[in-house]
Structure formats: C-alpha cells, structure tokens
Amino acid sequence: MQISSPLAESKVDDRHKPASRHILAGRRYVGRVIVVLASLGLLLLLMVQLLHAIGVTTIGFADWRPVLVAYLLWAVAIGTGLVIIRGERGARALFLLPAVFFTVAVVIFPTLFGIYIATLDWNLSSLEGPRFSGLNNLVGLFHDTYYWNALGNMIFYAIAVLAEYAIAFGLALLLSAQIRARKFFRVVFLLPMMLSPVAVSWMIGKSLMEYRFGPAATLARYLGWDNPAFFASPWSAWLSIEVMDAWVSIPFIMIILLAGLQAMPKEVLEAAKVDGANSWQSFWHVTFPIMLPVSITVLIIRIIFKLKLADIVINVTAGGPGGATDTVSSFIYRVYRDRSNVGYGTGLAMFYLLMIILFLTLLLRLSRRWTQKAA
C-alpha cells in the first residue's frame, strides 16, 4: 500500500499553481481586450456621428439610433468583460451596472448632447438647419441684459426662501403643540401642496387677483387702493409671484420640520424647563440647534425647487412688467417659444446649470461647516 506524504502533495500543488496563474492572467487579458475594444468602438462611432451631425464629414448615419444600439452592445461587452476579469466579484457587480448605464443614458449623455447643441446656430424658423457656431452663443449670453436680469431676480427669489422657512417653522411649532383640532389644521395647511402651480396661477393670479373684478382687487379698493393692479409695478408683481409660490411651497417645508420636531427627544426640552429656561430660550438654545440639520436639508431642497420656478411666472406675468418677475427658466422658455432659437436657448440652460452646480456645491460646504459648529 502506497502512502502519500504531505510533502509530496505540496509539490504536486506547486506544479499546478503556475498553470492556474497563467490561465487567470489569460482570462483577465481577454476581459480587458473586450472592454477596451468595445469602448474604442463606441467612442469612434460617437465621433463619426458627431462630425456627421456638425457637417464636417458625410460619413455617418441619418439619425442616432445606431449609436443607441452600439451603446447597448457596449453595456453588454462591459458586463461580460467584468465577469471575465473579476469572476464572482464581477458577477456581483453586474447588479450595479443597470443603474450606472441608466444614469449615463438619461443624465450624462443628455448633458453632453446639450453642450453640443449649445455650440450650434439652430433656429427652427430657418430653412438652413443647424450650423456649428462655436462659442458665439456663449458670447451672446454675456451681452444679453435680459438674461442677467433674470439671474438677478433669482437671487431675490432664493433669499425669499428664508422667509418661507420662518413661516413654515412657526406653523410647524404651532401644529406640534397640544392645541385643539391640530389634526384638522394639519390637513388644511397641506391643501395648497396638493395643487399644481399652474392651477394656483390661474386660480389666484388670473382670478382672485384680477385687477377689475377679482375679489382681492375689490377688497383693496374698499380699503382705499384706487388702482389695485397687483402686477403693474415691478415690486408688487414680484411680491405677488412670491406669495403665490410660497403659498404652494410652505406646506412642504412645514411638514418636514414638523416631522423633525416630533422626532425630537422630549427629555431635552423638559431638562431645559427644569433649568429655568423660558419658551424663547428653549427654542433658541435647544430646539433650533437640534433642528439645524433638518432645517439645512429642507432649505437646500426648497432652493433647488425655487431655482426651477417658471410655471407661475409664465402663466401670470410672462416675466413682466419689464422683466421684473422673470426667472431664468421662464426666460429660456420664451427664447425657445418666441425666437425658436434652440442653440441659444440650450446655451443659456447649460450655463445656468453650471452656475447651479457651483452654487449648490458652495452651499453644501457651508452647510456642513454650520452643522459641525452647531454640533
């Protein structure tokens, strides 16, 4: 009977290790080749189609459908190469790839395509079609006083979020207190959030605040205002737009702050009362610092929505009088609608997107510092 020793088995294993390493290295090499070739093929197809769309070359496709098919094939090749290279870990990573490819398809590619359109002189009313114009749209943007006026208005609209936050915080404190019928008031205060801004603009801006027969105008005349035209002067028009937008949006801020107040530990407030703190001191030194992370979060979300304000302005004032109520979104909408200038309108939108990204990045950094100091 032959007995195998551990030393002999280890020698056999050592002989097989170089072969397995070579096989693994060969698999990884094949996987990398698949990924590289698929990526280069997709990039080449994109460049050819882009040059064809600009008019530099006649080689290309009539539309972008072949590029979409190539993108799907590239996604399959990336998944296959990932499995070949990483084995089981690559198979687990396949569950993340659909989200990644979806983000590329609906976020990154449209953004890059928007940048491409921003370089075109593309007027829908012209028979010549899109023509490459380089940075002409960007140069025209810097000389467009109406666009910079709309950007200035956005500063006022963004600052007005602080007033909305103060009102919403007061309502949240009221609804978190032990008052009668507070469940009824919670439902009533949430009703404006259930309406669309377009419905609000017609219901309030076009009907309630109509300067001839509207109930608000009739009441203003009764109180002594001879010509209650809410949208005639710049400041009254701006305040009227802000009131309508705040009426729709304050319930959203209120409900999030109310959820934060209800999640606060009651022992902290009781300890403040035991220490002799009055209602204002308890709010300023206890409630407000604890609610600061929730407050910053809801303020950032509300500012993001405010930067997209357009529907109420378009329906009620169309940016008037004299651009006093204009927002960047409403101005871009009019560039598309009235001028039919797709290239210039897209350039305005991409520049505004860049400014929003920079502004929100700075705001997030400052908010992180404020939260750390409060903690």
Side-chain angles (χ1 to χ4, degrees):
M1 184 174 63
Q2 187 177 3
I3 301 175
S4 60
S5 64
L7 182 60
E9 291 179 357
S10 63
K11 291 181 178 180
V12 173
D13 293 339
D14 291 338
R15 288 197 300 267
H16 287 285
K17 281 182 180 180
S20 61
R21 289 175 181 174
H22 286 302
I23 294 174
L24 183 60
R27 286 182 53 188
R28 290 178 177 176
Y29 177 77
V30 172
R32 292 190 183 98
V33 169
I34 293 175
V35 171
V36 170
L37 291 179
S39 301
L40 289 177
L42 179 63
L43 288 175
L44 180 61
L45 187 62
L46 280 173
M47 290 298 299
V48 170
Q49 184 63 18
L50 185 61
L51 293 175
H52 174 73
I54 295 175
V56 177
T57 178
T58 57
I59 302 174
F61 303 99
D63 51 39
W64 288 77
R65 292 180 183 177
V67 178
L68 176 61
V69 175
Y71 175 74
L72 296 176
L73 294 176
W74 173 76
V76 174
I78 290 294
T80 304
L82 198 61
V83 173
I84 294 175
I85 294 172
R86 297 189 177 182
E88 186 177 350
R89 289 188 302 170
R92 290 197 297 265
L94 289 179
F95 291 96
L96 298 176
L97 288 182
V100 174
F101 292 140
F102 182 78
T103 303
V104 171
V106 302
V107 177
I108 297 177
F109 176 75
T111 303
L112 297 177
F113 192 69
I115 295 174
Y116 156 69
I117 295 178
T119 62
L120 301 178
D121 181 12
W122 188 0
N123 197 317
L124 296 180
S125 60
S126 174
L127 298 177
E128 297 179 357
R131 294 176 300 173
F132 182 73
S133 61
L135 299 178
N136 289 343
N137 289 329
L138 183 63
V139 174
L141 179 154
F142 283 106
H143 293 87
D144 194 336
T145 57
Y146 292 100
Y147 183 70
W148 291 103
N149 172 69
L151 281 174
N153 290 339
M154 294 311 303
I155 297 175
F156 292 104
Y157 284 119
I159 293 175
V161 173
L162 297 176
E164 298 176 12
Y165 165 76
I167 297 173
F169 211 142
L171 293 175
L173 290 171
L174 179 65
L175 294 179
S176 65
Q178 298 297 326
I179 60 174
R180 292 183 179 181
R182 60 176 180 173
K183 293 183 179 180
F184 169 76
F185 286 115
R186 287 178 183 178
V187 175
V188 170
F189 288 152
L190 285 177
L191 287 178
M193 192 174 65
M194 302 177 188
L195 298 173
S196 70
V198 176
V200 171
S201 63
W202 281 95
M203 182 177 65
I204 298 180
K206 291 291 188 179
S207 301
L208 186 64
M209 302 178 72
E210 203 271 332
Y211 75 97
R212 293 176 299 173
F213 309 110
T218 303
L219 178 61
R221 287 191 187 94
Y222 179 76
L223 295 176
W225 190 0
D226 294 333
N227 185 21
F230 296 98
F231 306 104
S233 64
W235 277 104
S236 62
W238 183 87
L239 288 175
S240 300
I241 292 293
E242 174 56 34
V243 166
M244 284 187 283
D245 186 54
W247 188 70
V248 178
S249 305
I250 283 177
F252 168 75
I253 306 175
M254 181 198 70
I255 197 66
I256 295 182
L257 293 175
L258 181 60
L261 289 172
Q262 291 181 339
M264 281 182 56
K266 305 300 181 183
E267 296 81 5
V268 179
L269 296 176
E270 293 174 358
K273 291 182 180 179
V274 170
D275 292 338
N278 55 31
S279 299
W280 171 252
Q281 290 172 338
S282 297
F283 168 77
W284 186 249
H285 296 288
V286 179
T287 303
F288 185 75
I290 294 177
M291 288 289 295
L292 190 59
V294 179
S295 299
I296 290 176
T297 301
V298 74
L299 279 173
I300 292 175
I301 294 174
R302 179 65 191 116
I303 288 174
I304 292 174
F305 281 100
K306 180 69 81 172
L307 294 175
K308 300 188 296 181
L309 175 63
D311 32 24
I312 294 178
V313 176
I314 292 171
N315 286 313
V316 178
T317 64
T325 60
D326 223 348
T327 64
V328 175
S329 299
S330 66
F331 177 72
I332 293 174
Y333 168 78
R334 289 204 311 277
V335 169
Y336 280 111
R337 184 195 63 184
D338 300 337
R339 305 183 192 176
S340 300
N341 199 331
V342 177
Y344 184 60
T346 305
L348 297 178
M350 299 310 297
F351 183 77
Y352 186 49
L353 175 63
L354 177 61
M355 294 190 67
I356 289 176
I357 293 173
L358 295 176
F359 171 69
L360 290 179
T361 302
L362 178 62
L363 188 61
L364 288 172
R365 288 187 177 182
L366 292 177
S367 64
R368 191 180 299 113
R369 291 181 182 179
W370 293 335
T371 306
Q372 291 175 352
K373 289 180 179 180

